[in-house]
Amino acid sequence: MSELTWLSKSHRPRLNLKNPLNAHKSDDNNVALRLEGSAKETLEQGRNRLVMAGVIFAFCFVILAGRLVGLALSGDGDTARAFPEKSNQKPVAFSDGMRAEIRDRNGVLLATTLKTASLFAEPKNVMDRQELASKLSRVLDDMSEAMILSKLSSAKNFVWLKRNLTPTQQYRINALGVPGLHFKEEEKRFYPMGALVSHLLGYTDLDNLGIAGVEKYFNGQLSGSKETAASELNLSIDVRIQHAMRDELTRHMSMFQAIGAAGLVMDVKTGEILAMVSLPDFDPNRPNDFSSDSKFNKVSLGVYEMGSTFKTFTTAMALDAGTIGLHGGYDATKPIKKAGFLIRDDHPKKRWLSVPEIYMYSSNIGTAKMAIDVGPKNHKAFLGKLGLLEKPSIELPEVGAPILPPRWNSLETMTISYGHGLSVSPLQLSAGVSAVVNGGAYINPTVIRRDPAVGIVARQVIKTKTSDTMRKLMRLVVEQGTGSKAAAKGYLVGGKTGTAEKVEGGRYKRSAVVTSFVSAFPMNDPRYVVLAVMDEPKGNAKTHGFRGAGWTAAPIVGRLVARIGPILGIAPVEEESEKVKRAMFVPINSKGKKVASF
Amino acid sequence: MKMNLTALSLLLVAGVSYGLYQLSYEVQGLEKNLAALDKNISDNRETIRILKAEWAYQNRPDVLQSLATKHLPLLLIAPYQVADLEQVPENVIALSELEPKNVPLPRKKPRRTYKPPKNKPLGSYTLATFSKAGGVQ
C-alpha cells in the first residue's frame, strides 16, 4: 500500500490520485492523496456547492422534461384555451367589431358598415404636383384638377384629399403608383336603399353613432358593448311595399302640387309596420345635404288635426256604447250653432240621416250630435283607450305627443267628433283604426319584426260586433260614399276620407288643407291598414279643381292596394258575388219621411 | 467506451438542437401562415360585406321597376288572374283518348313567318302597367 499521508487522523480517503507509473507494480494500485486542514475545507466547500448546483439544475431539468412530456401527452396548454374545440353556443354573426347591419322583414339589407379607404397626401413628398393633380382628377370624377392642386399646394404635412373612396377608386389610385399619397382605413355607414327608408332608419354621425331613427333608438344593440356583441336588427318593414307606397305618394304629390305627403301600411293583427313613408325625404348616406324639413318624420313626429277620419272613432264609440243603433239617425237639416261656432256639412243633404248615411256622406252635424249623446267624459275615455291622447310607444326617438284641447266640454266633444281640436300623429290614427277593424283589440304598433311564436299583447277596446259593423260602414264609404276612388277591385277596400284645414297661428287657414284617407283591406277579414296623407294638395283639371280627400288621398290607396295586394298574398274576391255582398250588407235605411218626427 | 459516450452525447445534442430549431422555424412558419389566413379571411369577409351592399344597391326596388318597365312586358296582376289550385278544373281524360292514333302530319311545311295571334285576354278589369317615368298607369 503506497500512500502519501500527511496526517493519519482520517481513514477515509479524500482524494485518490491514480499513479499510472505504479499501477502495474503494486497489488493495491490505489494511490491516494490526502489533503487536510484549510485546503481540505476549501475543497469540501467547493464540492458541496457543485453538488448543490447540480441538484438544482437537475431539478429544473426534471421539471422542464416533465412539463414537456405532459404537454406532448395531453396537448393541454394555452392553445387549448385560445381555440376551444367545440362550443354549444349558437354561431353568432361575425361582426369585426363593426356596427351591425339592419335588414327588412325579408332580409333585404337596409344599412351596413363598410371599411373604406380615405386618401390623404403628404405634399412634401409629392414630386410633381401638377402631374399628380391631373392624374387624380381623372380618377376622382367629382374633384377638379384645380381643386386637387390647391390642396396639394398647402404648406401642411398632411392633407385629406377625399374621404371614403370606392374600392375601384382605391385600386386606380394604387395603380397610379405615385409617392406621397396614402390611404387611411375608415368605417362608413352605408344605406343601399338610399332615401327609400330614410326616416325610419335615421342616420349616424361621423363617429358611427346613431343620431336619428332606429339607428338612434337601437344604438346600443347595433354598436355593441364590451360585454355584448353587436347584433343585427330586423325591421318589420317590407321594402317592396315601402317602395310602392313611396312611388305612389311621390306621383300624387307632384300631381296635386302638395308640399308633403305621408303614408303607412300596418298589419292589424300584429301591429307591425310594413311601410312608413314621409315626403319630402332625404338620403341617409349624406344627411347634411338635406334641410331639416325633409328630415321631419310626418308619420310619427308630426301631429295633425285629422278631420273626418275621426268619425270612424265617433261612430264606433256611439255604436259600442249603445247610445244609438245602426237603424237610428240624426237630423242634419240645419247647421249647429254653438258658442260662436258654426258646425255645418261639406256635402249637405239637408235632411234626416241614418247612422250609415252620416258616416258615408261624412256629415259633421250628425257626427257631432252622435258624440254629444255619448258625452264628453265618455268620449275622452274612449279616445284614451285607443291611445289617441298620449304619446304612442314605438321604437323610434321621433315620436310626437298629441295636442289636446285645454278643456274638454261639449263644444270640444262636438269638434273632436269630426276631427278638429285634437291633433294626433298619423301613426296614432292608424293604430286606432286598426283596433276598430281587427275585432276591437288595440295592438301597439312596432317597427321590429315580430316573432310569430311570441304572443301579442292586445287590449280589447270595443266589442267584436261593433268592429264588424264598422268594417261594413267603412266598406260602404268606398262603395257608395266619399271614398269611391279608393276602390281596388277584388280587395274589398274600406276606409274613410278626412279633409282638415290647417291651423296656422291659432286660426284655420282656408287655403291649406291636410287630406287623408285611412283604410283597411280586405274588409271581410281585415289584414292591413293603409293610410295616405297629403299636405296642402291643390286641385287640378282632373279633379275638377277639388282638393278634398276623396280626390287627392283616396286614389293613392286604391292604386297602392292593387299593387301590394298580390305581394302580400291577399286572395282577391269577387266583389259582386252574393256571398261577399251579403257579408258586407249594411242597412242604409234612408227614410226621408222620418224628418217629420224630429 | 468513454469516447463513444462523448461522441454519442454530442451527436444527441446536435440532433436535439437541430430538431428544436427545425420545430421553432416550423412554428414560426405556421404562425405566419395563420396570420396570413386570418388576414385573408377578414379580407374576404370585408369583400363579402361590400358585395352584399352592392347587391342590395343594385336591387333597389325603383331600379328593378325601371328595368322591368324597359325589358319585360309584365303588367300588374289583375284579381281575375289569381286562383288557387282547387279552382282549376280537373282534366278528365277519356280512355279512348289514351289509345294510340295516327300521328297527324302537317299539310304543308310549318311557316317560319308564323306569328302567334294577337288577341289579348279580355277582362272586366283594365290592366295597369308601370310607366317608364315611374308609377302605375
Side-chain angles (χ1 to χ4, degrees):
Chain A
M1 184 154 180
S2 57
E3 280 189 345
L4 284 169
T5 311
W6 277 271
L7 268 171
S8 57
K9 256 185 196 170
S10 161
H11 295 283
R12 283 184 295 145
R14 284 289 175 244
L15 181 68
N16 292 331
L17 289 176
K18 254 186 192 169
N19 190 349
L21 296 171
N22 299 336
H24 60 280
K25 285 177 191 168
S26 75
D27 46 337
D28 185 0
N29 54 8
N30 278 339
V31 180
L33 182 72
R34 290 210 179 143
L35 298 172
E36 297 294 332
S38 64
K40 184 192 166 188
E41 264 172 37
T42 315
L43 209 62
E44 193 100 347
Q45 200 179 23
R47 199 212 311 268
N48 285 347
R49 282 178 182 173
L50 211 63
V51 168
M52 274 307 288
V55 166
I56 289 170
F57 270 96
F59 181 69
C60 289
F61 275 105
V62 164
I63 286 179
L64 279 180
R67 175 82 176 137
L68 201 65
V69 169
L71 277 180
L73 288 181
S74 67
D76 191 20
D78 285 344
T79 28
R81 249 172 285 146
F83 306 99
E85 249 177 53
K86 223 190 220 175
S87 69
N88 294 329
Q89 279 179 330
K90 232 168 69 177
V92 286
F94 187 79
S95 68
D96 270 336
M98 290 203 285
R99 198 175 169 83
E101 294 168 348
I102 303 178
R103 295 172 178 280
D104 88 337
R105 66 184 301 113
N106 304 316
V108 176
L109 196 64
L110 298 178
T112 184
T113 313
L114 299 181
K115 274 192 186 134
T116 57
S118 288
L119 181 69
F120 67 92
E122 288 167 352
K124 275 184 185 172
N125 299 341
V126 175
M127 281 143 97
D128 188 343
R129 286 174 188 169
Q130 184 66 50
E131 193 199 341
L132 176 62
S134 80
K135 272 182 180 172
L136 272 183
S137 68
R138 256 173 275 147
V139 178
L140 310 169
D141 330 306
D142 53 340
M143 286 176 92
S144 71
E145 198 177 322
M147 217 161 113
I148 297 169
L149 195 62
S150 76
K151 279 189 175 179
L152 287 176
S153 310
S154 82
K156 287 183 214 158
N157 285 330
F158 176 97
V159 183
W160 277 121
L161 284 177
K162 190 165 161 60
R163 308 290 286 264
N164 303 318
L165 300 169
T166 64
T168 324
Q169 282 175 330
Q170 190 189 4
Y171 174 78
R172 288 176 65 191
I173 290 169
N174 260 331
L176 292 178
V178 197
L181 289 182
H182 301 277
F183 297 111
K184 187 181 186 303
E185 205 166 67
E186 287 190 298
E187 281 178 14
K188 168 121 175 78
R189 198 74 170 148
F190 176 63
Y191 304 92
M193 293 297 150
L196 187 58
V197 208
S198 47
H199 289 98
L200 193 76
L201 281 178
Y203 49 95
T204 58
D205 60 6
L206 277 175
D207 301 321
N208 275 345
L209 289 171
I211 47 175
V214 290
E215 288 271 31
K216 183 179 182 184
Y217 195 91
F218 291 100
N219 191 36
Q221 184 192 329
L222 289 168
S223 59
S225 63
K226 275 174 192 168
E227 292 87 38
T228 54
S231 66
E232 66 169 41
L233 197 61
N234 277 297
L235 299 184
S236 61
I237 291 291
D238 187 327
V239 284
R240 301 168 298 173
I241 292 158
Q242 176 85 2
H243 166 70
M245 177 60 106
R246 185 166 179 268
D247 198 30
E248 290 301 341
L249 284 179
T250 314
R251 240 171 74 86
H252 285 84
M253 210 175 113
S254 67
M255 225 152 83
F256 300 120
Q257 294 162 31
I259 59 163
L264 188 78
V265 178
M266 187 177 154
D267 190 322
V268 299
K269 289 184 176 156
T270 62
E272 288 172 304
I273 289 166
L274 277 87
M276 184 194 261
V277 181
S278 167
L279 293 175
D281 52 11
F282 63 97
D283 186 350
N285 288 309
R286 44 191 183 95
N288 296 337
D289 298 357
F290 292 85
S291 66
S292 61
D293 180 47
S294 62
K295 284 175 199 156
F296 183 82
N297 190 345
K298 291 187 171 67
V299 178
S300 64
L301 187 55
V303 288
Y304 309 91
E305 295 194 351
M306 297 303 291
S308 307
T309 46
F310 256 64
K311 286 172 188 160
T312 311
F313 302 131
T314 313
T315 314
M317 170 181 69
L319 291 174
D320 204 51
T323 53
I324 194 142
L326 209 51
H327 295 277
Y330 293 95
D331 181 22
T333 322
K334 280 182 227 143
I336 307 172
K337 277 183 200 147
K338 175 133 187 168
F341 276 88
L342 187 68
I343 296 170
R344 53 199 167 76
D345 285 355
D346 282 339
H347 322 277
K349 296 279 175 206
K350 293 197 192 306
R351 61 177 170 88
W352 180 91
L353 296 170
S354 69
V355 171
E357 280 178 320
I358 290 172
Y359 189 68
M360 165 175 143
Y361 298 130
S362 199
S363 163
N364 294 342
I365 303 165
T367 316
K369 285 181 173 173
M370 213 187 285
I372 282 296
D373 276 1
V374 180
K377 229 178 192 172
N378 292 339
H379 189 205
K380 193 173 178 178
F382 181 78
L383 294 186
K385 273 200 292 184
L386 284 170
L388 293 165
L389 303 184
E390 54 189 42
K391 213 168 155 176
S393 72
I394 190 163
E395 302 88 348
L396 284 175
E398 299 93 1
V399 180
I403 301 171
L404 272 66
R407 55 186 178 278
W408 197 312
N409 294 327
S410 54
L411 175 66
E412 283 73 32
T413 283
M414 278 173 150
T415 59
I416 290 170
S417 76
Y418 58 87
H420 286 80
L422 174 67
S423 302
V424 298
S425 61
L427 176 73
Q428 283 174 296
L429 180 79
S430 311
V433 169
S434 95
V436 169
V437 298
N438 74 356
Y442 182 85
I443 296 161
N444 217 23
T446 177
V447 296
I448 302 301
R449 191 175 68 182
R450 274 201 170 130
D451 186 356
V454 178
I456 289 155
V457 184
R459 193 178 70 229
Q460 199 69 26
V461 286
I462 57 168
K463 293 176 197 129
T464 313
K465 191 168 171 283
T466 316
S467 168
D468 197 46
T469 315
M470 285 314 295
R471 291 178 197 168
K472 292 174 184 170
L473 289 179
M474 285 172 82
R475 174 70 192 142
L476 194 68
V477 171
V478 175
E479 228 168 5
Q480 302 175 29
T482 50
S484 57
K485 288 198 181 298
K489 201 162 177 135
Y491 293 105
L492 281 181
V493 183
K496 181 75 191 81
T497 53
T499 311
E501 282 164 12
K502 271 180 122 174
V503 188
E504 244 164 61
R507 289 174 162 276
Y508 285 106
K509 205 172 142 192
R510 281 208 79 87
S511 59
V513 291
V514 172
T515 62
S516 54
F517 191 81
V518 63
S519 67
F521 76 98
M523 262 317 178
N524 49 1
D525 177 26
R527 289 294 315 279
Y528 299 98
V529 160
V530 180
L531 169 72
V533 181
M534 276 283 176
D535 193 359
E536 293 190 24
K538 281 120 198 136
N540 59 22
K542 249 185 175 174
T543 68
H544 316 291
F546 291 116
R547 55 175 189 186
W551 290 98
T552 55
I556 304 176
V557 172
R559 286 170 171 279
L560 187 77
V561 171
R563 273 179 87 164
I564 66 176
I567 299 175
L568 293 169
I570 304 283
V573 291
E574 189 61 65
E575 288 183 1
E576 302 302 315
S577 72
E578 268 307 304
K579 198 181 151 206
V580 173
K581 283 216 148 187
R582 203 176 303 130
M584 285 291 116
F585 173 76
V586 63
I588 297 174
N589 193 26
S590 86
K591 283 175 190 155
K593 64 179 181 191
K594 276 206 176 176
V595 174
S597 66
F598 275 83
Chain B
M1 178 64 192
K2 236 180 192 181
M3 285 297 278
N4 280 354
L5 201 72
T6 315
L8 200 73
S9 52
L10 271 178
L11 212 69
L12 202 72
V13 164
V16 165
S17 38
Y18 175 77
L20 268 176
Y21 275 112
Q22 204 65 20
L23 191 72
S24 156
Y25 278 121
E26 205 184 315
V27 168
Q28 274 176 31
L30 282 174
E31 247 159 26
K32 219 182 218 171
N33 211 347
L34 179 70
L37 281 175
D38 274 347
K39 170 126 187 22
N40 211 347
I41 288 170
S42 94
D43 279 359
N44 279 335
R45 279 199 169 118
E46 186 52 36
T47 313
I48 290 169
R49 249 181 127 93
I50 291 172
L51 287 175
K52 274 184 180 166
E54 181 78 19
W55 178 254
Y57 179 73
Q58 299 291 356
N59 281 298
R60 281 166 296 157
D62 49 336
V63 172
L64 292 185
Q65 180 175 322
S66 65
L67 286 176
T69 316
K70 209 169 153 192
H71 301 292
L72 299 174
L74 291 179
L75 305 166
L76 277 185
I77 302 169
Y80 71 83
Q81 291 175 304
V82 183
D84 52 30
L85 214 57
E86 281 140 40
Q87 283 172 295
V88 180
E90 201 182 335
N91 194 3
V92 185
I93 304 166
L95 275 175
S96 57
E97 296 271 320
L98 291 171
E99 281 165 18
K101 287 174 190 161
N102 289 337
V103 180
L105 288 170
R107 283 185 210 166
K108 56 179 182 177
K109 272 187 176 175
R111 287 160 294 163
R112 271 199 153 186
T113 50
Y114 172 78
K115 277 181 190 133
K118 274 187 174 175
N119 295 337
K120 281 182 181 165
L122 288 169
S124 57
Y125 188 73
T126 322
L127 289 178
T129 178
F130 293 109
S131 71
K132 278 191 180 164
V136 180
Q137 275 175 353

